[in-house]
Amino acid sequence: MNFTIKITKSILLIIIVYSLTLVFTSCSKKNYTNLPAYKFVSSDGKPDYNNLSYWAAHPWKWDPSDSISKSLAKNYFQDSTVDVFFLHPTTLISNGDQRLNATIDDAALNAKTDYSAILYQASVFNENCRVFAPRYRQAHYRAFFMNDSLSANAFDLAYADVKNAFQLYLKNWNNGRPIIIAAHSQGTVHAARLIKEFFEGSNLKNKLVCTYLIGMPIKENYFTEMPVCTDSSSTGCYVSWRTFKNGYIEPHYIANEKFKCIVVNPLTWSTDNCIAGRCLNTGGILKNFNKLKPGVVNATIHNNILWASKPKFFGNIFLRNKNYHIGDINLFYNNIRQNVRTRINAFWKK
């Protein structure tokens, strides 16, 4: 069983912060399930990655990852010489849903994924990369804290889809291009496993620009060959962080972690614990996708987590939650976007 699955019990608390969706992401009330893109039906219950319907994001079709915030459109210049393989977080979170794994052709769930995680997270990469994001039979959030063979099987099924999608991507579309692996939450569980299976001990690691493993703990010695990024331009390395409110005393599940976690500050791209002020935050994107908010939070590393100040936005007086998991990417949207460009430039120079 993967280390990221074994952290278990408090993942419930992590997922609960999806109640912050109205702050950090927003799905329109429009019924997207009526769109032709969500009308596909799997003949055997499995994804067919030769069919673009089974990709939440793919460069051969328009999807929400292609969206560009109006605040960034003026200086947008696409240079898609690198591919990003993005794995979305858990969106199967309804307490009333008894499935342990999503069905691959669930129109409502696919639309929810596309207009939340794909729009607000995968779009970070659309200026500098071709974005590939497979739909997969994600495990229900309850699988994180069941800690039995059923939960193991649920994550194995989800990973099997991810693996198949990645193998098809390598065979049909990569054509020797450099790769970025990026993920959030459950996606990070699968991405970490993917890195160990396909990159470590393989020549493929020479094509790896960077890995963004966000929202889940990564043990210090989990990877044997891939180092931690210690500055903004390192390549062939990985970054990771989990975001909580500045000054928040870690909940028991983090305080009781018996391992050192890798935490990289997305405002400085270093692992030191100096405070990075709001002035270094070039812009987060919250509910309004078209409005970039510079200085939305500051950030500093505290033990195994990233502390961030309370986000600045109209109405933030009502924000009581101190777990900013849902905003791990949104709060640092433009910093990540700029960093992708920096690392790609450094990769080509090498």
Side-chain angles (χ1 to χ4, degrees):
M1 191 69 140
N2 235 308
F3 80 92
T4 44
I5 297 173
K6 283 189 172 180
I7 48 174
T8 70
K9 283 191 177 180
S10 63
I11 300 299
L12 173 60
L13 296 177
I14 288 179
I15 302 300
I16 284 174
V17 280
Y18 275 85
S19 62
L20 286 173
T21 299
L22 291 179
V23 175
F24 293 117
T25 63
S26 175
C27 286
S28 167
K29 293 182 178 180
K30 178 180 178 181
N31 184 6
Y32 290 107
T33 58
N34 287 331
L35 298 176
Y38 302 109
K39 293 297 185 181
F40 64 94
V41 177
S42 171
S43 61
D44 58 2
K46 300 178 181 179
D48 174 9
Y49 292 115
N50 289 294
N51 183 337
L52 296 188
S53 295
Y54 294 89
W55 292 86
H58 195 287
W60 300 165
K61 68 175 184 178
W62 185 92
D63 57 73
S65 76
D66 297 314
S67 302
I68 304 164
S69 171
K70 289 182 179 178
S71 299
L72 297 169
K74 182 178 179 180
N75 297 317
Y76 178 83
F77 177 78
Q78 189 172 28
D79 178 17
S80 53
T81 54
V82 173
D83 290 344
V84 62
F85 191 80
F86 178 83
L87 298 176
H88 67 76
T90 308
T91 52
L92 184 63
I93 61 174
S94 172
N95 287 326
D97 196 321
Q98 298 305 305
R99 295 175 293 176
L100 264 184
N101 288 88
T103 45
I104 198 64
D105 52 11
D106 183 329
L109 185 64
N110 289 337
K112 176 183 177 182
T113 299
D114 290 2
Y115 287 91
S116 58
I118 302 302
L119 173 61
Y120 284 88
Q121 296 181 340
S123 66
V124 166
F125 304 94
N126 67 19
E127 182 173 13
N128 305 287
C129 306
R130 302 190 306 176
V131 180
F132 295 81
R135 306 193 188 284
Y136 61 95
R137 288 172 289 178
Q138 59 178 286
H140 194 287
Y141 84 91
R142 79 169 71 87
F144 277 102
F145 55 95
M146 288 170 56
N147 202 24
D148 57 17
S149 60
L150 288 177
S151 70
N153 292 339
F155 284 103
D156 284 345
L157 177 64
Y159 178 71
D161 286 351
V162 168
K163 178 179 177 179
N164 289 337
F166 188 66
Q167 288 176 316
L168 189 74
Y169 155 75
L170 288 178
K171 179 182 177 181
N172 290 353
W173 297 305
N174 176 256
N175 296 320
R177 297 161 70 93
I179 306 171
I180 290 172
I181 303 295
H184 184 244
S185 199
Q186 181 175 160
T188 290
V189 173
H190 306 309
R193 189 171 173 181
L194 195 76
I195 291 292
K196 288 190 74 72
E197 182 170 356
F198 284 88
F199 290 85
E200 292 204 315
S202 164
N203 288 334
L204 195 59
K205 68 183 179 183
N206 297 324
K207 296 180 181 178
L208 188 65
V209 176
C210 184
T211 301
Y212 295 83
L213 299 174
I214 303 171
M216 295 293 275
I218 305 294
K219 284 184 180 179
E220 184 178 30
N221 299 317
Y222 179 69
F223 296 111
T224 58
E225 297 182 4
M226 188 171 63
V228 181
C229 301
T230 55
D231 58 40
S232 63
S233 60
S234 298
T235 61
C237 54
Y238 73 98
V239 299
S240 182
W241 65 84
R242 295 175 289 173
T243 316
F244 292 80
K245 186 173 186 273
N246 186 27
Y248 183 46
I249 303 302
E250 304 95 314
H252 70 279
Y253 64 92
I254 292 179
N256 292 337
E257 289 175 346
K258 303 301 182 184
F259 53 86
K260 177 176 172 52
C261 242
I262 295 302
V263 186
V264 173
N265 190 325
L267 297 186
T268 62
W269 303 104
S270 72
T271 55
D272 64 48
N273 60 2
C274 296
I275 297 176
R278 291 179 187 267
C279 61
L280 295 179
N281 189 317
T282 58
I285 287 183
L286 306 182
K287 179 179 179 181
N288 184 348
F289 181 78
N290 285 314
K291 187 174 183 180
L292 191 72
K293 296 187 70 65
V296 65
V297 294
N298 66 18
T300 185
I301 294 172
H302 173 76
N303 296 333
N304 272 358
I305 60 176
L306 183 74
W307 272 354
S309 52
K310 189 173 184 177
K312 292 175 64 175
F313 62 90
F314 179 77
N316 71 347
I317 190 174
F318 299 107
L319 178 61
R320 303 294 186 186
N321 203 306
K322 298 179 180 180
N323 187 334
Y324 296 160
H325 179 71
I326 189 68
D328 282 326
I329 292 177
N330 300 65
L331 293 172
F332 311 102
Y333 188 98
N334 200 41
N335 289 81
I336 298 171
R337 194 174 183 88
Q338 292 170 335
N339 183 248
V340 170
R341 185 184 308 122
T342 297
R343 293 191 196 276
I344 289 174
N345 289 339
F347 180 88
W348 286 123
K349 288 180 181 178
K350 286 186 178 181

